[in-house]
């Protein structure tokens, strides 16, 4: 499906009270997810046109005046023109290109001194780099799997790493480059997978020890205080038995679709109080040491001793409005009692508090 989204301003109805003037910035998918299409894989982290429209409508329904800004190569000039017309930017853009791309729109907004939702460029770039994030976590004694970063196929596997392992591109999201073959049980399979990632995604390969326990993803909103939304558990018993227990590209974008009867997520996760407390604590500490602002979603998994280990931090979590899509962040918000608009407003309120902006 190809819907062309042009940047435009929503017309407000006469009786709508304008709360804030918000520029909503994003990257949009031009083709449907597929493992066969190069463009689909390149755009895996981008949002569907319906998602962009759904978020824009929800912002408008909250009473905000909304300007749509596609985060393309002209983004700097668009924001420069909009600077005096907007109070805040709601940013879900993945960025234009390169390994630090999620930092690009925040950096533009810093230059232009326009307030925006979410973390600053340093934290955005850091969390996109999984190995660097893990170094910071390890420094702060936050559990994360042992790992090795490979920049070439010739490097030797460290003797400290124990199979099974998982090999993933170091700087991607939305399970781009994470498929069944990412889960490796021996050196031969590892070598093949590393070759695959170097060739197809042209970037360093993060090899980690595989966490065999339950997997959760935790949505957080706010700064002081931080609200931990109900935990989402990845339901591996729902996926076909021949697939490895990983929330891969196939599982997220192909097996899990609105027409599928397979429940790939459970929210709220059925979990005992002690473990919930441990998970919440490790997530709050992770958010703090990485300087994450306003919102994020943290993926973690239990190791064989039941200790929660951080897998990665999503600074700009997916927020697909249609609940049937099982988008983790809005699902957790819904279970917490917030509809999609209320969830967006909470994230906006968090940014407004930081900037001392009034938002009604
Ligand atoms: N060390 C690990 N041990 C066990 N499973 C793992 C590990 N690393 C990743 N996985 C599995 O692979 C999935 C995707 O990994 P990861 O979260 O790093 O990728 P991503 O593309 O950044 O994901 P997202 O869609 O959340 O942006 C995880 O949700 C988990 O199921
Ligand atoms: Mg993840």
């Amino acid at each position: 499906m190809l819907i062309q989204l042009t940047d435009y301003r929503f017309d407000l109805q006469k009786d709508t009270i304008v709360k804030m003037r918000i520029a909503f910035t994003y990257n949009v998918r031009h083709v449907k997810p597929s493992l066969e299409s190069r463009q689909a894989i390149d755009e895996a982290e981008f949002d569907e046109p319906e998602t962009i429209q759904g978020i824009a409508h929800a912002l408008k329904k909250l009473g905000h005046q909304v300007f749509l800004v596609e985060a393309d190569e002209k983004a700097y000039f668009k924001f420069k023109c909009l600077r005096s017309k907007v109070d805040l930017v709601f940013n879900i853009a993945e960025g234009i290109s390169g390994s630090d791309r999620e930092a690009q729109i925040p950096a533009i907004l810093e230059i232009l001194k326009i307030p925006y939702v979410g973390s600053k460029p340093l934290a955005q770039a850091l969390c996109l780099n999984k190995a660097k994030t893990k170094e910071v976590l390890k420094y702060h004694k936050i559990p994360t799997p042992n790992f090795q970063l490979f920049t070439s196929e010739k490097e030797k596997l460290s003797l400290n790493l124990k199979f099974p392992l998982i090999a993933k591109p170091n700087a991607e999201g939305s399970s781009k480059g994470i498929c069944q073959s990412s889960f490796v049980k021996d050196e031969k399979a590892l070598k093949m997978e590393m070759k695959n990632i170097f060739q197809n995604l042209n970037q360093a390969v993060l090899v980690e020890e595989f966490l065999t326990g339950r997997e959760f993803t935790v949505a957080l909103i706010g700064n002081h205080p931080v609200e931990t939304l109900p935990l989402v558990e990845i339901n591996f018993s729902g996926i076909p038995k021949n697939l490895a227990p990983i929330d891969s590209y196939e599982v997220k974008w192909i097996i899990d679709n609105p027409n599928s009867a397979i429940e790939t997520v459970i929210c709220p996760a059925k979990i005992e109080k002690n473990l919930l407390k441990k998970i919440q604590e490790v997530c709050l500490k992770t958010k703090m040491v990485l300087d994450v602002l306003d919102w994020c979603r943290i993926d973690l998994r239990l190791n064989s001793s039941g200790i929660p280990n951080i897998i990665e931090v999503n600074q700009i979590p997916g927020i697909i409005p249609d609940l049937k899509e099982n988008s983790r962040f809005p699902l957790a918000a819904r279970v917490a009692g917030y509809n999609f608009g209320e969830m967006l407003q909470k994230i906006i309120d968090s940014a407004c508090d930081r900037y001392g902006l009034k938002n009604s």
Side-chain angles (χ1 to χ4, degrees):
M1 187 200 38
L2 281 156
I3 296 181
Q4 212 58 48
L5 274 175
T6 47
D7 302 342
Y8 65 97
R9 205 189 97 172
F10 270 105
D11 288 318
L12 289 164
Q13 286 154 11
K14 280 195 197 102
D15 55 355
T16 313
I17 302 159
V18 177
K19 286 171 98 184
M20 290 189 94
R21 301 168 305 165
I22 294 186
F24 168 41
T25 190
Y26 57 85
N27 291 106
V28 65
R29 273 185 195 163
H30 300 93
V31 292
K32 285 274 174 209
S34 145
L35 280 170
E36 277 80 52
S37 149
R38 178 75 238 176
Q39 191 182 355
I41 294 170
D42 285 348
E43 293 186 351
E45 291 186 281
F46 293 3
D47 283 291
E48 295 282 344
E50 293 89 338
T51 301
I52 309 294
Q53 278 159 346
I55 297 169
H57 277 286
L59 290 170
K60 190 185 161 210
K61 245 175 107 183
L62 289 165
H64 301 300
Q65 187 177 13
V66 180
F67 298 80
L68 288 185
V69 181
E70 184 171 357
D72 55 19
E73 286 176 15
K74 298 188 204 108
Y76 177 83
F77 298 101
K78 294 181 198 173
F79 282 117
K80 198 164 178 223
C81 295
L82 275 176
R83 179 157 45 172
S84 59
K85 299 189 184 76
V86 299
D87 304 306
L88 182 79
V89 175
F90 191 86
N91 172 34
I92 62 159
E94 298 295 335
I96 293 134
S97 60
S99 56
D100 302 331
R101 59 199 174 277
E102 279 182 10
Q104 290 166 348
I105 294 297
I108 286 175
L109 298 172
E110 290 286 340
I111 295 171
L112 295 170
K113 299 192 176 69
I114 307 175
Y116 58 95
V117 162
S119 302
K120 294 182 182 297
L122 175 64
Q124 295 280 2
L126 175 64
C127 290
L128 199 52
N129 185 327
K130 290 180 179 166
K132 281 274 170 261
T133 304
K134 288 163 70 69
E135 285 175 19
V136 176
L137 296 178
K138 285 213 178 266
Y139 176 84
H140 289 280
K141 305 203 168 19
I142 294 175
T144 184
N146 290 330
F147 70 103
Q148 186 176 348
L149 186 68
F150 288 80
T151 51
S152 101
E153 285 175 58
K154 291 189 191 111
E155 292 162 36
K156 285 237 166 320
L157 178 67
S158 156
L159 292 174
N160 298 330
L161 291 185
K162 303 275 170 284
F163 283 99
L165 301 172
I166 182 163
K168 35 189 199 180
N170 188 44
E172 296 296 349
S174 306
S175 285
K176 186 169 164 182
I178 300 181
C179 50
Q180 292 310 305
S181 55
S182 312
F183 173 75
V184 291
K185 290 186 181 156
D186 54 42
E187 206 149 347
K188 191 174 165 217
L190 174 64
K191 281 205 169 123
M192 271 172 64
E193 190 53 21
M194 291 216 297
K195 192 175 183 157
N196 198 8
I197 298 174
F198 282 127
Q199 271 178 5
N200 293 322
L201 296 167
N202 195 24
Q203 62 181 281
V205 180
L206 174 63
V207 174
E208 284 185 335
E209 282 183 348
F210 192 81
L211 301 160
T212 49
R214 295 167 74 185
E215 177 170 343
F216 304 94
T217 188
V218 189
L220 304 172
I221 301 181
N223 302 307
H224 307 288
V226 184
E227 182 173 354
T228 313
L229 300 183
L231 265 54
V232 177
E233 178 161 11
I234 312 304
N235 179 24
F236 292 114
S237 65
I239 66 168
K241 293 279 169 279
N242 58 330
L243 300 182
I246 50 176
D247 203 9
S248 60
Y249 185 90
E250 293 105 302
V251 172
K252 272 188 197 131
W253 300 112
I254 298 166
I255 295 178
D256 188 359
N257 66 66
N259 305 319
S260 152
I262 300 175
E263 272 313 327
T264 56
V265 287
I266 301 167
C267 187
K270 292 179 190 70
I271 184 171
E272 51 166 284
K273 264 197 190 146
N274 263 349
L275 180 58
L276 175 64
K277 196 163 163 259
K278 265 193 215 157
I279 291 178
Q280 286 173 332
E281 278 170 6
V282 79
C283 287
L284 294 182
K285 191 167 172 197
T286 298
K287 179 179 181 291
M288 195 184 70
V289 303
L290 297 172
D291 284 337
V292 174
L293 298 175
D294 303 329
W295 68 316
C296 69
R297 210 198 72 229
I298 300 181
D299 294 343
L300 56 90
R301 204 159 175 171
L302 308 184
N303 66 10
S304 54
S305 316
I307 296 168
N309 273 242
I310 302 296
I311 295 180
E312 60 132 4
V313 178
N314 299 284
Q315 293 267 2
I316 301 182
I319 44 168
I320 305 176
D322 181 356
L323 275 178
K324 283 196 228 109
E325 295 280 353
N326 277 338
S327 184
R328 280 75 164 135
F329 200 104
L331 172 64
R334 177 58 68 127
V335 173
Y338 309 128
N339 66 30
F340 194 76
E342 288 164 338
M343 174 196 87
L344 296 179
Q345 188 60 51
K346 281 189 147 278
I347 300 166
I348 290 168
D349 288 346
S350 170
C352 288
D353 281 353
R354 280 193 297 114
Y355 287 105
L357 289 173
K358 273 181 130 182
N359 83 60
S360 58

